Amino acid sequence: MGKKNKYGNYLMKIGYLDIRQVITMPRVANVRGKTQKSPGNVEVFVYHGKHKVSGPFKSHIEAIKSAETLITDGFKYNKHGK
């Protein structure tokens, strides 16, 4: 499993934070002659390296605003500060 499959597609960088998105495409399955539809979905996350900082968001604009507020607050991920 690569970074793309695990964390999603890379969109942009804001400061030292990465914005990534996971897209699930809509599917149509045929089970025993009946069609089942599952809707698609988009989830946008804010990462600092491999660590998820915030999310999921429904749009890129919300994730960008969240990342900008984290940058202005001086957020840094601390592994031992949980």
Side-chain angles (χ1 to χ4, degrees):
M1 177 180 290
K3 198 171 191 181
K4 182 178 177 181
N5 294 336
K6 190 170 183 180
Y7 304 116
N9 294 325
Y10 175 81
L11 290 180
M12 65 184 334
K13 183 180 263 323
I14 295 181
Y16 49 83
L17 299 174
D18 298 328
I19 297 181
R20 296 181 162 271
Q21 72 177 356
V22 177
I23 300 174
T24 55
M25 298 300 286
R27 293 183 351 171
V28 176
N30 190 359
V31 178
R32 296 184 184 144
K34 297 180 181 178
T35 59
Q36 295 178 346
K37 294 181 181 179
S38 64
N41 191 16
V42 175
E43 294 179 331
V44 185
F45 298 96
V46 178
Y47 282 92
H48 184 215
K50 294 181 180 178
H51 307 286
K52 183 169 50 171
V53 176
S54 64
F57 299 105
K58 292 292 179 185
S59 71
H60 305 15
I61 297 168
E62 294 174 14
I64 291 169
K65 288 179 184 177
S66 173
E68 288 173 349
T69 57
L70 289 171
I71 292 288
T72 56
D73 293 342
F75 175 81
K76 295 255 184 187
Y77 181 80
N78 186 3
K79 179 179 177 181
H80 302 292
K82 292 183 177 180

